[in-house]
Structure formats: structure tokens, C-alpha cells
Amino acid sequence: MSRHDTSDLIFRRVLAAFPITVLIIVAGIFFELVYSSLPSLHKFGIGFLYHSIWNPVEENFGALPFIYGTCVTSLVALLLAIPIGVGAAIYLVEYAPVKVSRVISTLVDLLAAIPSVIYGLWGIFVLVPFMRNVVQPFLGKYFGFLPLFQGPNYGIGMLAASVMLAIIIVPFIISVSREVIAAVPFVYKESAYALGATRWEALSNIVLSYGKAGILGAVILALGRAIGEVMAVTMIIGNDPKIALSLFSPGYTLASVIANEFAEADFPMYLSALIEIALVLFLVAIIVNILARLLIWSVTGAQSAEAVK
Amino acid sequence: MNTNGRIEVKNLNFYYGNYQALKNVSMTVEPHQIVAMIGPSGCGKSTLIRIFNRMCDLIPSTRVEGKVLIDGKDIYTKDTDVVSLRRKVGMVFQKSTPFPKSIYDNVAYGLKIIGIKDHRVLNETVEKCLRRSALWDEVKDHLGKSALSLSGGQQQRLCIARAIAVDPEIILMDEPCSALDPIATARIEELMAALKDEYTIVIVTHNMQQAARVSDKTAFLMHGQLIEYNKTTDFFTNPSNKITEDYITGRFG
């Protein structure tokens, strides 16, 4: 065996160790979560997922309020963040002068680097009063006929948390969408223009249709972040395990109940139930990712497979 | 026969920033002729055809001096409607650029964006254009399939169908065959000869044999200058300019 073969082999083995390590870590986390939540899994069974009582004193645990809170806040955050994020990305790539685009893009990337506890603090002192004094009274007055915008107005609650999450994930969507839109070959835009398309038409039906896989990817990244966000949400969602249709009402999410109650979980079943919450969060994150990936494939699968050909 | 589709270029200068890409070019393209533009890379031939449909507007800090008239109308006035100009002056690119849509929607695209929704009109136009671009027989049974599933040559003919669907007078082709094999190239060339009755065609090509085969007149550009512009038969057999002769006999380029 020559010197080259040996070094190549060692290099290959060493490299192979890295992805295997990742697999082992994921499997290890999953195993640990299942193992530690066994008592709770035994006691509550599948009912854990659809029972809405969370009563540590009586050792009665159901995860539904948290699942609900996580899903609602993440979805509302996406609804707010997607149009703003994609719109901003389009503006930065297609319309803004190069200098403006560069400055804003840098700021956006900085925004993504701000620790979420700072967002949370800002949320308590700025966003929550703003929601209480301006946004929620407005929504209640003009859209109060919808059950979403009824009930007492505390400022804190699911709507504030959703807005907070939207602010946190917008930079991700802008950043990735910007790259994706900029990567669409110029000649496709030219082709649309050559057929007499206006700028808006070239953008909306050519550029976005080329970029949709990438933009969906950005949205999934953002959704993952929203589902897992702890600090900023915990600080302003109200931390009340109840299921209310109104976005004004306080709620709770999977991630925040773990962070909030871990220190208080002073008997085994409580701890086990919290770990099962972590397991649920883990699975929700994985399922969302799988669904999203399937969605991307269904939108682009045939297309990209043929494009490669 | 429609007699529109005349291009007149008068003392045209074109700048990318400080770089002058075209120097004092004057030429006339008569309706229903095929004009080939040849010349070494960077000579300005692609730039020149992009001036005919104002595609060069898309590049920042460019400047046009001189006049370009299409059917006697200056296309560089303030009130020129660029969108309708581009419908009148279609374009096919070097790389085939099918949109990620079905074959049908690709051809119908130019009609749909101006708000034509009548299915009968759309169906008729799509069939007519695909027939004219000699693609109909190959795709008629799967118009709903993604345009990206076609071969390179088919994609390029689809782009031609898409360009003629908006009923232009002039079709600009920027090296339409440079990515195609000889058989697909031959089909495009046949197609050009057939389209000549309806449209004026200006083709940029790197391939001198292609220019000789397809065109009525040939223009030779170098360093942004129009060196020679003549009937294709005379151009290749009896060039009047020494540089042209050196170029077509392969002494450089």
C-alpha cells in the first residue's frame, strides 16, 4: 500500500467519524428523553398529548395547552413574518440601490445575532405596552367580531409572543430569501422582460417561481427557530397553561414550560412529565421538518430532478 | 405580407459606464430579412441587438447616443413604452430559458400577462405557435408537462414559440444554437427560414457557417465598430474590407 493510499484512507475514516458523531448525539438525545419520561409515559399514555390539565399539585399532567401554544404562536408568527421577510428580500435585491441594500443586509444579519433575552426584555418594556395600548384596542374595536380578538386585554399573551417571534424570525427569512432571489439567473428575468413583462410580473411569476424552493427552505428554518424559541416567549406570553381561542389571552409553549418549571420540578413524576414535554417538542420539531421537506419535494421535486438531467 | 419590422440605426454610440461598447454604428435591417451579426467575442454584437428591444436598460449606468428607429419610430424617446416595444421586438437567448411551468403555460405566458383569459384564444395561439416552431407534433400529447422535461433543442424551439406568441414583428436571437448539437441546430435553422415570411430576424452567431447558411445579410463588428455590412453572398465570397477577409478566412478571431 503506497503512502498516498494510507493517508487517503485515514483522512476518509476521520471524516466519516464526524457525521456518525452527529447521528450518535441525536440518537442519544432521543433515547435519554424516552428513558427519562418512561414514568410519565406509563402513567398518562397517549392521553398526555390531548389532555389539557396541567396540575403539578395533583400530579395530573397533559401537554395539550403547550402544544396548542407552540403551534398557534409559531403559525401566527409565520403569517406575519413571511410577507414582510420575502417583501424585504425582494426590495433589497431588485429595487434598493446597492449601498442601501448592503447596509440593510448587514443590519438584518446583525439582528439575527441578537440574544433572545434582549428581545424578551425589549418585549416587556416596549412591545407589551404597545400591544396593550395601541394594537390590541385597535384589533378589538375593528375585528372584535372574530373570536381571535376578544376577551380581556393584558398586553402580554399569545399575540404579543407571536409578534415577538415574527420579529425574531424575520431576519432569517430575509437573509435566505435574499440569497435565493439573487441566485435566479438574470437571463430568466430578461426572458420575461423580452415578452413584455413588467418588473412586477417578472418578479412575481418568474423570479419567485424559481426561488420558491429556497424561500420555503427559509420559512422552515424560521419555523424551527420559532418552535424552539424559549426566552423571549417565556418573558411575554403570560405562562398560563390554558387553551383559549383569543390571541389576547395568555398561553404557554412547550419550550417555555420546560425552562420555567424545570427548577420547581421537585418530585419524580413532575420531572418525568416535563421531560416528556421535551420529547414532544423534539418530535414536533422533527415532524415539522419532515412535513416541510415533503412540501419542498412536492413543489420542486420533479422540477429540480429534471433540471439536473 | 406584413411590411413592418424595419430597424434603422443612425450614428449609434453605446457606453457601459466609461467604456464605449459601440462606436458610431449605422445600419438598416429591412423587413423580412435575416441579418446575421458576427465578430469576435466582446465586439459589441450582443450589445447591439439588446439595444433594439431596450434590454440594455436593465444594466445600470449604460448610455445610448444616436438614433434607433423601428418602423420609423425612435425607440429612445422619453415616452417610448418599453413594455410594448418588447412585445413588438421579441428575443431568444443563448441559453434556452423555459420558465418552470408547463409547456402550455410557457407559450401562453406573454398572452396571460396582458390579461387574455379566453381559453379558445389561448388554445389556438398555443397550437399555432407550437406548430410554427415545429414542436407541436412532439409535445401535443403532453402540453401540461413541465417545460423543463424537454430536451435542449426542444426547449429552444419552445422559447421561439413563446416569443412569437405575442405576435412580434422582429425576433432577435442571441446565439440561439451555441448550446445545441448539430441536429437541433439544423432544425432551428430550418425554422428561421420558415419564419422569415412573417418576421424580421436578427441573429447573433459565433458560427460563420451558420451566418452564411441562414442569413440574407451579414454584419461584421469588431471593437464596437461596424466593419462591413453586406449581402451574405457577397460578404463571404467577395468581402470589401481587408479585416473582414482576414476574419472569415480564419486569420484571427
Side-chain angles (χ1 to χ4, degrees), chain B residues 43-131:
Chain B
C43 69
K45 55 193 191 302
S46 290
T47 304
L48 181 55
I49 67 164
R50 280 176 159 71
I51 288 172
F52 298 161
N53 62 348
R54 292 192 55 169
M55 207 52 105
C56 55
D57 292 13
L58 302 176
I59 304 157
S61 68
T62 54
R63 203 168 82 234
V64 177
E65 283 169 8
K67 279 211 159 113
V68 181
L69 310 175
I70 289 186
D71 295 334
K73 246 180 93 185
D74 191 342
I75 60 165
Y76 279 90
T77 61
K78 255 191 219 141
D79 49 324
T80 303
D81 178 357
V82 179
V83 165
S84 49
L85 169 72
R86 290 187 184 141
R87 299 181 76 84
K88 197 164 153 182
V89 186
M91 191 164 199
V92 175
F93 297 85
Q94 177 172 11
K95 189 174 174 282
S96 60
T97 53
F99 299 141
K101 299 169 181 290
S102 69
I103 294 168
Y104 182 97
D105 284 340
N106 261 278
V107 183
Y109 180 80
L111 299 174
K112 282 187 176 169
I113 56 174
I114 54 167
I116 295 176
K117 290 197 188 81
D118 184 343
H119 282 283
R120 210 172 43 83
V121 175
L122 290 176
N123 291 344
E124 276 171 12
T125 312
V126 168
E127 177 170 347
K128 188 184 79 186
C129 296
L130 285 171
R131 277 189 192 283

Side-chain angles (χ1 to χ4, degrees), chain A residues 162-181:
Chain A
S162 305
V163 172
M164 185 87 264
L165 280 176
I167 294 170
I168 292 174
I169 65 179
V170 148
F172 288 84
I173 299 184
I174 295 179
S175 247
V176 181
S177 305
R178 203 184 64 215
E179 302 283 326
V180 167
I181 292 170

Side-chain angles (χ1 to χ4, degrees), chain A residues 18 20 43 62 65 90 104-105 112 147 175 184 187 190-191 195 216 240 260 282 290-291 300:
Chain A
F18 298 137
I20 290 171
K43 186 166 173 201
I90 291 175
I104 296 183
S105 302
S175 247
V184 174
V187 67
E190 274 192 310
S191 300
L195 293 167
L216 264 176
D240 186 1
N260 243 1
F282 187 82
I290 291 173
L291 286 180
T300 63

